[in-house]
Amino acid sequence: MTATQDLRPVGTERRPADRHPVGRPSADHHSVGELVGQATEQLSQLVRQELMLAKEELAEKGRRAGRGGGMLGAAGALAYVGLMALAATGIAALSLVLDVWAAALIITGVLFLIAAVLAIAGRGQLRRATPAKPERTLDSVKADVDEIKERAHR
């Protein structure tokens, strides 16, 4: 026993596992190869998650664009029916003096009003669906890149 060991409290003697020669890592240190492997694995997992997020975001925008297109199609169909009703109204107006054509004109106005409401709603849906880029995913990727750069400079 050396003099320094005699001065240590009981149970605090240096064990051979506590000593590690220069160049040999202890249990809580990892080699550069292990750290690079972990970073590569984490980066590939991050990329997969970002791709899944982009896929979900684009699918949501596609559904929204589909609904908007359907509403615009319905508006077009009703406008066509309204045009036919307007034609029937004109015919009714010429054949009868007032009663039948007045009713036909009211129906035509209602159909055009419905078509206008559908067109406005469909246009709103299409505006919300564009641009067709995954904005939340792009923001998330930018934040990830900034974080990686910040940690790399430490």
Side-chain angles (χ1 to χ4, degrees), residues 36-56:
V36 168
Q38 285 178 355
T40 303
E41 182 180 327
Q42 290 173 353
L43 187 59
S44 68
Q45 182 181 6
L46 178 64
V47 168
R48 282 193 300 270
Q49 289 172 343
E50 295 296 353
L51 286 174
M52 286 174 43
L53 179 60
K55 181 180 173 184
E56 289 174 17

Side-chain angles (χ1 to χ4, degrees), residues 46-111:
L46 178 64
V47 168
R48 282 193 300 270
Q49 289 172 343
E50 295 296 353
L51 286 174
M52 286 174 43
L53 179 60
K55 181 180 173 184
E56 289 174 17
E57 192 172 347
L58 287 173
E60 177 184 331
K61 288 190 177 209
R63 284 190 295 272
R64 198 170 273 158
R67 281 190 296 250
M71 287 180 185
L72 284 175
L78 283 176
Y80 180 73
V81 170
L83 185 61
M84 295 299 113
L86 183 61
T89 303
I91 293 171
L94 290 174
S95 66
L96 302 172
V97 177
L98 187 62
D99 293 330
V100 175
W101 71 265
L105 187 60
I106 291 171
I107 298 294
T108 301
V110 168
L111 289 174

